[in-house]
Amino acid sequence: MAYYHRLGNIPPKRHTQFRQPDGSLYKEELVSSKGFSGIYSNLYHIHNPNNVLSIGEPTPYNWEPAKEYGLKQTHLKTAGVQTTGKDYLSARKILMMNSDCMMGICAPEERKMDHFFKNADGDELIYVHDGEGVLYSQFGKLEVRQGDYIVIPRTTIYRFEWKEEGPLRLLIIESHGPIETVKRYRNEVGQLLEHSPYCERDIRPPGALHTEKEKGEFLVKIKKGGMLHPYTYGHSPLDIVGWDGYLYPYALSIHDFEPITGRIHQPPPVHQTFQAWGFVICSFVPRLFDYHPLAIPAPYNHSNIDSDEVLYYAEGEFMSRKGIDRGSFTIHTGGLPHGPHPGTVEKSIGAKETEELAVMLDTFKPLFVTTEGLNFVDPAYPMSWKE
């Protein structure tokens, strides 16, 4: 994420004296990636960020692939799910996974977290399917709403507060590696190119600091190695008076993604929005269909030979699918062809536009349905192409 940002008060030079009103030093913290070779930010604390009061017993926080699930096209029906758990962490249900990423849903009953969370296992991409609220982190306050992708770098300490009224539903993707803007849409110094489907104006970093100065007992639950480790600190982790750098959480609305269209059907890479180790994320948004006089708007049949493809259906009606609802997942695996359902190709001819919204995950290693995901499997889906 080659985009410099700063908030609050910082000294003129890094790693130099920066004193509080009482004459004591602010405590500088470097948050860096790839050791000291990747993007980073410098933060300035009122208190020592290592002030640990107690460490609780770790508890398991992981998911397992379903055994002997077999090779089959899959539909996970989650449309009818109202809530998936009491709080934010217990409500995170991972439905599919491999060694590079995990994907699932989160619909918590509670709208306000009474603790902080830090994911030390990977970056997170959260798509706000329903809801509106605020992400508080040591980098400041980030207001989020329906349709937002929220990119949260590994080890960010955060909590959510969601508005009480209305539904709340999140799509969760956890990545073993960094989640980044698309390399082919960046120039040699990292700026998004003129023909990129979104630009820096569309990216929303934290807009203001949220500094919590008080001391006390503050719980941070840290995910590491498939366990939750409870750490209690003697002050809030949001005791930041200023920071600057390139590493921080940010939001990008799917509604700000500008689709690339053509005379004939465009392949999914034109919809790519993010990249990571071992997978990509694409956004299908309202757009005009192909305008060749003989164009077929419905996608052609496709055989993935080295990737698995997941579509999460957010809004609208996909003209190539039958029996798919808002909140459905389809998983089309490498080794099997997939394509439009019978009758949908002819029906699509002459259509001028679509109002669909969907998030796509394409992985380059096999993706496995989890034991949790088995609860949502549509057993009829593999045979749904039958004439």
Side-chain angles (χ1 to χ4, degrees):
M1 181 58 195
Y3 185 118
Y4 175 80
H5 192 54
R6 63 179 285 178
L7 287 174
N9 298 315
I10 59 176
K13 293 284 288 184
R14 294 176 294 178
H15 322 318
T16 59
Q17 296 179 35
F18 182 34
R19 296 194 178 273
Q20 304 191 39
D22 65 1
S24 63
L25 289 169
Y26 287 110
K27 283 70 175 175
E28 182 181 11
E29 179 189 11
L30 172 70
V31 181
S32 66
S33 61
K34 300 179 183 177
F36 292 87
S37 301
I39 60 171
Y40 63 89
S41 289
N42 282 87
L43 296 79
Y44 295 89
H45 293 261
I46 296 171
H47 308 293
N48 187 340
N50 301 305
N51 182 19
V52 179
L53 298 181
S54 65
I55 303 174
E57 291 296 320
T59 56
Y61 193 65
N62 56 10
W63 291 265
E64 297 293 334
K67 295 180 179 179
E68 301 178 357
Y69 180 71
L71 177 65
K72 64 188 78 170
Q73 311 290 31
T74 299
H75 173 207
L76 302 181
K77 302 176 70 172
T78 69
V81 174
Q82 298 300 313
T83 61
T84 54
K86 184 177 180 181
D87 62 17
Y88 175 66
L89 293 183
S90 65
R92 288 163 65 113
K93 305 299 184 186
I94 298 302
L95 308 182
M96 60 208 82
M97 64 187 301
N98 65 18
S99 60
D100 293 323
C101 62
M102 300 189 293
M103 187 180 199
I105 57 175
C106 179
E109 296 174 20
E110 296 179 352
R111 300 300 178 103
K112 185 176 180 180
M113 295 172 63
D114 62 1
H115 59 273
F116 294 93
F117 176 57
K118 176 198 284 190
N119 193 334
D121 279 333
D123 281 25
E124 295 178 346
L125 178 68
I126 299 174
Y127 175 74
V128 183
H129 193 175
D130 289 308
E132 183 178 351
V134 178
L135 174 74
Y136 292 97
S137 76
Q138 70 267 52
F139 299 97
K141 179 180 177 181
L142 178 61
E143 296 185 0
V144 296
R145 54 188 178 267
Q146 185 184 42
D148 277 349
Y149 291 110
I150 311 168
V151 178
I152 305 177
R154 183 192 308 247
T155 79
T156 299
I157 303 170
Y158 70 89
R159 70 169 187 264
F160 276 116
E161 291 186 12
W162 301 98
K163 287 191 174 180
E164 291 293 335
E165 65 273 10
L168 174 59
R169 184 185 180 95
L170 310 173
L171 175 68
I172 305 284
I173 298 173
E174 181 177 321
S175 172
H176 181 66
I179 295 172
E180 303 171 329
T181 56
V182 183
K183 184 177 181 180
R184 70 175 180 276
Y185 289 136
R186 291 187 248 123
N187 61 25
E188 68 276 8
V189 296
Q191 184 182 15
L192 289 165
L193 293 165
E194 179 67 16
H195 60 276
S196 169
Y198 59 91
C199 73
E200 286 81 2
R201 292 187 192 182
D202 301 316
I203 293 168
R204 305 194 321 270
L209 281 180
H210 178 79
T211 305
E212 298 179 353
K213 301 179 180 181
E214 62 271 18
K215 292 185 178 181
E217 294 186 358
F218 294 83
L219 177 62
V220 180
K221 294 184 179 181
I222 303 173
K223 181 179 181 292
K224 182 70 172 180
M227 306 287 284
L228 273 183
H229 305 264
Y231 269 64
T232 301
Y233 290 85
H235 60 84
S236 170
L238 309 190
D239 66 332
I240 306 297
V241 298
W243 67 271
D244 75 332
Y246 286 60
L247 188 148
Y248 50 85
Y250 64 90
L252 169 69
S253 175
I254 196 171
H255 303 297
D256 286 327
F257 184 89
E258 300 300 333
I260 297 171
T261 60
R263 285 197 352 128
I264 59 174
H265 192 85
Q266 299 297 296
V270 303
H271 306 290
Q272 187 179 348
T273 313
F274 301 102
Q275 66 181 36
W277 298 349
F279 69 94
V280 300
I281 299 293
C282 299
S283 302
F284 290 85
V285 302
R287 62 195 182 278
L288 296 177
F289 278 140
D290 328 311
Y291 48 90
H292 187 283
L294 298 179
I296 301 176
Y300 36 78
N301 291 299
H302 178 218
S303 288
N304 285 326
I305 66 170
D306 54 9
S307 66
D308 288 358
E309 175 189 294
V310 179
L311 265 176
Y312 178 74
Y313 299 83
E315 309 292 346
E317 182 178 349
F318 269 63
M319 78 321 204
S320 63
R321 285 284 170 273
K322 297 177 180 179
I324 299 299
D325 298 313
R326 186 182 191 269
S328 284
F329 294 84
T330 57
I331 311 169
H332 297 141
T333 62
L336 295 175
H338 65 277
H341 278 139
T344 59
V345 173
E346 284 285 356
K347 185 179 178 181
S348 76
I349 294 174
K352 300 300 182 183
E353 60 184 352
T354 177
E355 294 298 320
E356 68 195 17
L357 275 178
V359 178
M360 186 172 82
L361 169 75
D362 255 13
T363 67
F364 303 112
K365 292 179 184 175
L367 196 63
F368 302 100
V369 174
T370 64
T371 53
E372 188 86 50
L374 291 178
N375 298 320
F376 305 99
V377 170
D378 173 7
Y381 187 71
M383 315 302 288
S384 60
W385 284 266
K386 189 175 181 180
E387 298 284 355

